[in-house]
Amino acid sequence: MQMLKILIVSLIGFVSATLSAQAVIEIDITRGNVQPLPIAITSLVGSDQEMTSNGSVMEIGQQIAQVVTADLERSGLFSAIDPRAFINSANASPVPQFANWRAVGAQALVTGIAELEEDGRVRVEFRLWDVLAGSQMTGLRYYTAPRNWRRIAHLISDAIYKRLTGEDGYFDTRIVYISESGPYLDRIKRLAIMDQDGYNHKFLTDGSYMILNPRFSPTSQEITYLSFYNDTPRVYLFNIDTGKSEMLGEFEGMTFAPRFSPDGKKVIMSKAENGNSDIFAMELSTRRIQRLTSHSAIDTSPSYSPFGRYITFNSDRGGSQQIYVMDADGSNIKRISFGDGLYATPVWSPRGDLIAFTKQTGGKFYIGVMRPDGTGERILTESYFEEGPTWSPNGRVLMYYRKYPYDNNGGGGETQLWSIDLTGYNERQILTPLDGSDPAWSPLME
Amino acid sequence: MKNALIISGIFHLSLLVFAAMDVPWFDTVENAEMQVIPVEMVDIAEVTKTVEIAKVPEPQRDKPKPPEKQPERMAELPPPPPKMQSTMPLPTQTAEKPAEKPKPPVKRAEAPQVQPRSRPKPPSRYSADRIAALLNKVPEKESVIESLAERFGPQEQQATSLDVQRQTMSISAAIRKKIEDQCWNPPSGALDAGSLRVTVVMYLTPDGSLARTPVAEDYARMAGAQKVAADSALRAVRMCAPYSDLNLPKEMYDQWREIKMNFDPSEMIS
């Protein structure tokens, strides 16, 4: 009887325990609204009495905030709140009054200071705050010569982007491209370089000979390109810091479409002999060259996967121009594109998940992406003519060039640089002093 | 012999009747139980809808009352004007009074939100606040019963386990809808963003505001994109607070004082 009592009591206890355990409500949240994150970026606080070669420290602080705002907005992932709506003006108090920032709809807040050091450098500090939680998410300090304030701004943008998206940024990067000018039949094509936002523009060649296919090294400030110096097309290597260029060997026939390997130690390219082109890789230290394909069809536009194990290229060996993937030694060739039309210029994303390409069908050109196994093809943009996608170093944005048709009055024919992110919505033009084509994105600067 | 036959016949007949009625009945019970699970799942959406609809009428029912009273007071007011035949300034004074009178009910409606905080302070002596709080308990209980009646009808005011289950579903559906529609902005940029699942526990006070900081499981060990996903979930929980607009049933506070939420963007981002 006693046993039965104990049994009943323990049973009741067990049942009530399970009931109370169920009491915590569990909810699955599976939908949301993907929207730009509202962020408030305040001017870095600095003195207008401290003068540098680039204006007062206060002005530098204001300009840094403007560049950071422009960077983050251009990414399409953030919406910067108009500073005129701010309840608090910028001030040096270490902890912001979060209620005031919440009131203007900010979810993230950037504050900071700029001060002149005794050695003439500027010290820049910024903090990124989670407005809703009322806590600091990240904070960094930089020292730099006043003229480098723009790079510091891009570095701050990268740090904010990384903390809020989980991906590396791409703002402290540069673009090389071909600057074009002159009439259609006598085009002057020069190599030019600029920051990813179009500032600090410089011409690297004088236009006396044609330059094509510039490509950045993924590990250093070096570029390969195809030069028609002395009317002979050759692949060259150009060091941006030293300004020196060298030819990558003398080959029979024509070499083109060069591209670095991910470790920067090899250059892969096409070489045409007797009307047929195949793919070759060259070791930069030894200048040893290795043939990777040998087929009667035209194989060109090779690009390595991020770890250098595979190569994607295009070929018309199947009857029409399509994208193929092979092992880095040239074995195991597989076709991956099977859609309508012609596929060209495959480029492997730096994060490995996608291959970008140019597609031509129905009298139009398209930039799209597909997975390395050929599935999930997605068109991001289309126009009369566009080509040559290049990836941002974080693999989220593509830059390419677009050409407009000539009209009957001799106008039109502009060539412009454009960028689009992987969502396919955030498409923007990158302004260049003259026409621009064939862009190549640098890695993050060291 | 005849008797034996009759008895045997009755037994056989009753056996047949039992077999015909009871045996299949057991079967259907089993089937019904098997079907309960999917049917309950369907119910969530229905309950969600009723909550949505119920949410709107509730304030409307509260509000229509003051208007009803106002006309009464307006009806009462006409008598004063005769009194103030003598002076002109008086009409404006009397005109102000009706404007002032409707305000108190509004204040009383707000007071209950403060009241729970004053409850856990028994040591303090009676104060104006406390008396107000005591007074305010009455309308509060009424509103709870009203909301219960609206949702489940008058017969079901006694909470059965099924009621609790149903109401729990409507609570979770209401919170889910608010967070999904208004507050969650999942990070889409990261590689494999669709696979970044996060579990957040939120603690609520009886008035529906956050009792303390919401917690993401394993947050301290997170880095990179996973941490960013957790941040977005925590932001959503904070953005949506307070949850007082959902009119969560106070008598069931024990059920919703702690809520576990699984944020899973895989259906949105592939």
Side-chain angles (χ1 to χ4, degrees):
Chain A
M1 195 62 192
Q2 192 66 26
M3 277 295 285
L4 194 70
K5 234 179 185 176
I6 292 169
L7 201 72
I8 289 170
V9 168
S10 60
L11 196 71
I12 290 169
F14 175 74
V15 169
S16 61
T18 36
L19 277 179
S20 67
Q22 284 174 345
V24 176
I25 294 177
E26 190 162 345
I27 306 172
D28 290 329
I29 309 287
T30 55
R31 288 182 299 117
N33 301 300
V34 179
Q35 286 169 337
L37 187 81
I39 186 166
I41 300 157
T42 64
S43 290
L44 305 190
V45 178
S47 163
D48 57 355
Q49 304 300 317
E50 295 176 345
M51 294 306 291
T52 71
S53 50
N54 287 63
S56 73
V57 174
M58 186 184 78
E59 285 166 339
I60 289 177
Q62 288 168 345
Q63 286 168 323
I64 286 177
Q66 285 162 11
V67 171
V68 170
T69 303
D71 278 347
L72 295 178
E73 283 228 300
R74 215 170 35 253
S75 76
L77 298 176
F78 302 90
S79 69
I81 292 165
D82 188 338
R84 284 174 296 184
F86 293 175
I87 296 169
N88 291 66
S89 58
N91 62 62
S93 80
V95 180
Q97 290 177 301
F98 294 109
N100 288 345
W101 294 107
R102 202 176 162 156
V104 299
Q107 294 184 24
L109 167 68
V110 180
T111 63
I113 56 166
E115 273 176 20
L116 190 63
E117 295 284 292
E118 284 178 6
D119 60 4
R121 291 186 304 166
V122 177
R123 187 180 90 241
V124 175
E125 289 176 18
F126 88 96
R127 288 169 206 272
L128 173 67
W129 305 89
D130 184 330
V131 172
L132 296 167
S135 60
Q136 181 178 316
M137 300 181 88
T138 189
L140 289 169
R141 177 182 299 160
Y142 307 90
Y143 294 89
T144 185
R147 67 174 186 282
N148 281 342
W149 66 268
R150 197 169 263 284
R151 260 203 84 186
I152 297 297
H154 293 315
L155 287 168
I156 291 173
S157 303
D158 281 333
I160 294 168
Y161 184 95
K162 182 165 188 176
R163 183 61 189 84
L164 291 175
T165 67
E167 293 279 302
D168 284 332
Y170 56 89
F171 303 113
D172 187 30
T173 55
R174 297 193 269 196
I175 308 288
V176 286
Y177 74 100
I178 302 299
S179 174
E180 297 188 18
S181 56
Y184 176 61
L185 291 174
D186 189 19
R187 213 66 174 149
I188 295 170
K189 296 193 174 190
R190 292 201 274 173
L191 189 62
I193 189 165
M194 61 187 178
D195 292 352
Q196 51 78 29
D197 59 357
Y199 285 84
N200 290 329
H201 189 280
K202 266 190 287 192
F203 290 107
L204 298 176
T205 59
D206 61 8
S208 58
Y209 50 94
M210 194 163 75
I211 300 279
L212 290 177
N213 304 140
R215 301 286 176 254
F216 249 107
S217 160
T219 55
S220 64
Q221 295 301 313
E222 281 184 317
I223 307 167
T224 71
Y225 57 86
L226 181 64
S227 163
F228 285 76
Y229 187 64
N230 284 341
D231 290 331
T232 318
R234 292 277 182 262
V235 172
Y236 284 79
L237 192 64
F238 180 82
N239 188 307
I240 299 168
D241 294 334
T242 63
K244 282 185 182 164
S245 66
E246 54 179 321
M247 191 172 63
L248 286 182
E250 187 100 31
F251 313 111
E252 280 178 41
M254 178 178 162
T255 49
F256 55 97
R259 205 182 280 275
F260 282 94
S261 64
D263 59 8
K265 290 179 179 165
K266 284 188 212 169
V267 168
I268 192 169
M269 59 192 131
S270 318
K271 193 155 83 78
E273 278 175 352
N274 308 323
N276 176 39
S277 96
D278 280 312
I279 290 165
F280 293 78
M282 176 197 260
E283 195 111 20
L284 286 176
S285 56
T286 60
R287 300 288 157 95
R288 207 162 52 86
I289 195 162
Q290 182 192 0
R291 172 186 278 269
L292 298 178
T293 65
S294 70
H295 196 282
S296 56
I298 291 172
D299 298 336
T300 185
S301 297
S303 165
Y304 276 104
S305 69
F307 296 103
R309 285 181 60 191
Y310 306 102
I311 293 164
T312 180
F313 64 100
N314 75 47
S315 171
D316 60 359
R317 58 181 65 203
S320 70
Q321 203 176 33
Q322 299 291 337
I323 299 175
Y324 290 76
V325 168
M326 65 182 175
D327 291 354
D329 61 2
S331 65
N332 213 359
I333 297 175
K334 272 186 302 207
R335 177 174 162 182
I336 64 161
S337 68
F338 292 94
D340 295 335
L342 305 177
Y343 290 78
T345 69
V347 194
W348 217 302
S349 157
R351 63 181 187 184
D353 57 337
L354 295 167
I355 290 172
F357 56 83
T358 306
K359 180 173 176 171
Q360 185 190 351
T361 179
K364 281 203 162 187
F365 282 77
Y366 305 83
I367 302 288
V369 291
M370 63 172 72
R371 294 196 196 97
D373 63 0
T375 62
E377 178 178 330
R378 209 149 54 84
I379 296 299
L380 300 174
T381 168
E382 66 161 84
S383 69
Y384 163 76
F385 180 89
E386 54 194 28
E387 199 183 38
T390 177
W391 289 96
S392 64
N394 70 351
R396 245 200 76 80
V397 184
L398 286 164
M399 197 177 286
Y400 51 93
Y401 73 99
R402 177 173 285 171
K403 202 174 177 112
Y404 292 88
Y406 288 94
D407 59 32
N408 294 332
N409 307 323
E414 300 92 350
T415 311
Q416 298 167 348
L417 302 187
W418 286 78
S419 73
I420 194 159
D421 69 20
L422 283 183
T423 64
Y425 289 107
N426 185 29
E427 186 173 39
R428 287 163 197 259
Q429 189 191 346
I430 292 89
L431 293 173
T432 49
L434 304 167
D435 277 5
S437 66
D438 222 347
W441 215 312
S442 83
L444 282 172
M445 292 199 259
E446 306 264 307
Chain B
M1 190 61 186
K2 247 187 181 179
N3 280 348
L5 254 176
I6 291 165
I7 291 164
S8 157
I10 288 169
F11 268 115
H12 276 89
L13 199 71
S14 61
L15 199 73
L16 276 173
V17 168
F18 179 79
M21 288 178 72
D22 283 3
V23 176
W25 187 66
F26 279 127
D27 278 352
T28 50
V29 166
E30 279 174 20
N31 284 342
E33 275 178 355
M34 291 297 284
Q35 284 166 359
V36 161
I37 302 161
V39 167
E40 287 294 346
M41 294 301 281
V42 176
D43 269 353
I44 299 173
E46 285 170 6
V47 173
T48 315
K49 278 175 194 164
T50 54
V51 171
E52 273 180 273
I53 298 158
K55 243 199 302 179
V56 184
E58 265 178 54
Q60 276 177 349
R61 278 190 188 183
D62 288 343
K63 281 175 188 169
K65 280 174 194 168
E68 276 172 28
K69 282 174 191 169
Q70 276 173 343
E72 281 170 19
R73 282 177 191 174
M74 289 300 280
E76 282 169 16
L77 286 172
K83 285 180 190 171
M84 43 113 202
Q85 289 162 345
S86 55
T87 53
M88 286 299 289
L90 275 171
T92 52
Q93 285 174 357
T94 48
E96 279 172 15
K97 277 177 188 172
E100 282 172 8
K101 277 178 186 172
K103 278 180 187 171
V106 181
K107 280 180 186 171
R108 275 179 199 167
E110 284 170 4
Q113 291 183 344
V114 186
Q115 171 234 333
R117 282 182 194 164
S118 62
R119 263 191 212 161
K121 295 176 188 171
S124 70
R125 288 187 183 179
Y126 64 88
S127 62
D129 284 352
R130 231 181 133 200
I131 291 163
L134 280 169
L135 283 171
N136 291 331
K137 272 180 188 168
V138 184
E140 198 180 74
K141 276 183 182 169
E142 277 173 4
S143 70
V144 167
I145 291 164
E146 270 176 23
S147 64
L148 263 177
E150 275 165 27
R151 284 176 198 170
F152 305 107
Q155 301 159 342
E156 296 182 65
Q157 280 180 20
Q158 286 181 338
T160 65
S161 68
L162 193 67
D163 287 339
V164 172
Q165 210 179 332
R166 244 191 246 172
Q167 217 165 353
T168 308
M169 280 179 190
S170 72
I171 292 167
S172 48
I175 294 171
R176 176 181 178 163
K177 187 168 166 40
K178 186 175 184 189
I179 290 182
E180 287 187 342
D181 288 0
Q182 298 174 29
C183 303
W184 190 33
N185 183 2
S188 57
L191 184 63
D192 297 330
S195 66
L196 299 170
R197 292 186 192 87
V198 180
T199 298
V200 170
V201 182
M202 138 173 120
Y203 306 92
L204 293 178
T205 63
D207 67 0
S209 50
L210 294 180
R212 57 187 173 103
T213 311
V215 178
E217 281 180 9
D218 288 331
Y219 188 77
R221 265 180 270 164
M222 285 178 186
Q226 185 66 43
K227 194 169 190 173
V228 167
D231 284 336
S232 89
L234 290 169
R235 259 201 304 277
V237 168
R238 286 193 171 105
M239 271 265 288
C240 263
Y243 296 83
S244 46
D245 58 327
L246 302 178
N247 292 320
L248 303 175
K250 289 213 164 71
E251 76 283 358
M252 293 187 66
Y253 175 57
D254 277 349
Q255 305 279 318
W256 52 264
R257 69 191 313 156
E258 182 181 336
I259 294 171
K260 192 175 176 184
M261 277 178 275
N262 305 310
F263 287 82
D264 179 359
S266 57
E267 285 176 30
M268 297 179 60
I269 304 157
S270 55

